[in-house]
Amino acid sequence: DQHIGIWIHTNEDSNTVVDGFTITGAYKLASPPPGYYGAIHCDGTAAKILNCTVSDNAHHGISIYNLPSSLVGSTLISDCRVERNSNGIRVGREPMFAGASARIVRTIVLDNDSCGIQLFDHGDHYIENCLVGKNTFDGIYKFVDMPKPQSGTVIGQDSYVRRTIVFGNGRYGLSNYWVGHLYVECTDAYENLSVNFHGTNGSAGDALGNISDNPQFCYSDTGNYYLRDNSSCAAANNICGVDIGPFPVKCTCCKGTVGNVNGSLAENPDLSDLSLLISYLTTTPRPKLPCPAEANASGTWPVDISDLSRLIAHLTGSPVTFPPCPVY
């Protein structure tokens, strides 16, 4: 009895699906055999793990090892919550052992005692639209040792993090060690204790669209981290034009009707609002709008010259009716 919640280990492929389970209370032995680490443990398999909650386990929440080359790209973790485990998700084992490959999508990895997501040894990894936060060590940690010869096990060395929020972790937000690359695109790494981006290909404000900015969450009673519409992680406010993280915009910073472009206490539009909107439409780089929805005077995205024309008309005495604030 290895005290694993679910153990998948006999050459299963992606037709094996674990969907909608809660795994909690798994614990490790004092001297566990090599590889027996996860509450959901996949050894040499490519299962799909969907809509699961993996929480309060004494070792890894989800672990994936020893993936053969024939199953590369088939392992999927999607729409899960991995919280308060010793480690969150580990793909691969220790350096110079057998590798693994996985795609992790729209998954929340929070409050784990070590790292949120560990990418060990050789294998290509894809982390997309995830939320990785408040883990004790690194949010996303990649370690690839020296290259090893082809032996039937996946040998890729590149990992990709896209459209993901990494915040409030106890050391680095994203870290990469030794060989291989950790490519980071359209990702927000914010307020990680030491450094947000460590040894990665891509850092805050670079050409790949990465930022280090407050995600502006608005929480829900279900524990989801939705975005405010003034968040830089919302598609309307970043150069990638995509929502960053697993959840869309759910609440607005706007009050009543639109028009208060500069977010002042005076809700009625005035010349200071006009000045900021002109600057936003004519200056590079654009100044940040306190509440982008307030600048949408025409009621149609994106903010453009039509919004400016409507605001000018209002300030010069023409009868203009501003649309109400958007409802999400």
Side-chain angles (χ1 to χ4, degrees):
D1 180 2
Q2 306 299 337
H3 307 283
I4 293 171
I6 295 177
W7 182 23
I8 306 171
H9 60 90
T10 316
N11 301 314
E12 289 86 354
D13 60 19
S14 59
N15 290 310
T16 298
V17 180
V18 180
D19 190 348
F21 284 87
T22 294
I23 308 296
T24 188
Y27 64 96
K28 66 174 182 175
L29 302 175
S31 300
Y36 292 93
Y37 295 119
I40 298 178
H41 181 73
C42 301
D43 190 348
T45 67
K48 293 180 180 177
I49 302 169
L50 314 175
N51 305 300
C52 288
T53 296
V54 185
S55 65
D56 301 285
N57 299 286
H59 218 297
H60 311 312
I62 302 173
S63 58
I64 301 167
Y65 301 147
N66 302 328
L67 192 70
S69 299
S70 60
L71 295 179
V72 170
S74 299
T75 303
L76 174 65
I77 300 170
S78 180
D79 299 280
C80 293
R81 297 187 74 104
V82 183
E83 301 177 282
R84 299 181 303 278
N85 306 285
S86 178
N87 286 303
I89 299 171
R90 175 178 280 198
V91 183
R93 203 155 76 207
E94 299 297 343
M96 296 304 291
F97 282 80
S101 176
R103 185 169 177 232
I104 306 170
V105 182
R106 292 185 305 276
T107 288
I108 299 172
V109 187
L110 292 174
D111 294 308
N112 296 284
D113 289 340
S114 183
C115 292
I117 299 175
Q118 294 177 316
L119 307 174
F120 270 103
D121 206 54
H122 300 266
D124 294 325
H125 317 100
Y126 300 87
I127 300 170
E128 300 170 344
N129 289 97
C130 290
L131 180 72
V132 184
K134 301 188 291 186
N135 300 285
T136 300
F137 198 53
D138 293 357
I140 299 173
Y141 173 94
K142 176 181 171 68
F143 188 106
V144 178
D145 210 330
M146 300 302 292
K148 58 185 281 188
Q150 177 73 40
S151 61
T153 299
V154 61
I155 298 299
Q157 296 178 359
D158 293 335
S159 300
Y160 302 84
V161 180
R162 299 170 175 142
R163 304 177 301 279
T164 290
I165 299 173
V166 184
F167 76 101
N169 295 285
R171 194 180 70 157
Y172 302 132
L174 304 100
S175 59
N176 182 45
Y177 291 88
W178 288 59
V179 299
H181 299 93
L182 181 62
Y183 294 100
V184 185
E185 303 172 9
C186 302
T187 285
D188 185 8
Y190 175 72
E191 280 198 345
N192 298 283
L193 188 60
S194 181
V195 176
N196 289 316
F197 299 89
H198 177 259
T200 64
N201 295 76
S203 59
D206 71 355
L208 298 177
N210 297 307
I211 57 176
S212 290
D213 200 8
N214 189 334
Q216 297 288 345
F217 294 127
C218 57
Y219 305 100
S220 74
D221 54 5
T222 59
N224 292 335
Y225 286 66
Y226 293 108
L227 302 174
R228 298 186 186 277
D229 58 8
N230 60 340
S231 170
S232 296
C233 296
N237 309 325
N238 61 70
I239 64 172
C240 296
V242 297
D243 284 340
I244 299 172
F247 299 112
V249 169
K250 193 73 171 182
C251 51
T252 181
C253 49
C254 190
K255 298 178 182 178
T257 61
V258 305
N260 183 19
V261 180
N262 67 352
S264 65
L265 294 177
E267 289 295 323
N268 294 324
D270 55 26
L271 289 175
S272 63
D273 299 301
L274 179 63
S275 176
L276 178 56
L277 185 54
I278 291 173
S279 180
Y280 177 79
L281 293 174
T282 60
T283 304
T284 303
R286 287 177 165 178
K288 186 174 181 179
L289 297 176
C291 182
E294 290 278 9
N296 187 20
S298 67
T300 303
W301 287 103
V303 174
D304 56 21
I305 193 68
S306 65
D307 303 296
L308 180 63
S309 297
R310 179 166 286 219
L311 190 55
I312 291 172
H314 170 77
L315 294 174
T316 55
S318 299
V320 172
T321 300
F322 289 117
C325 291
V327 177
Y328 297 100

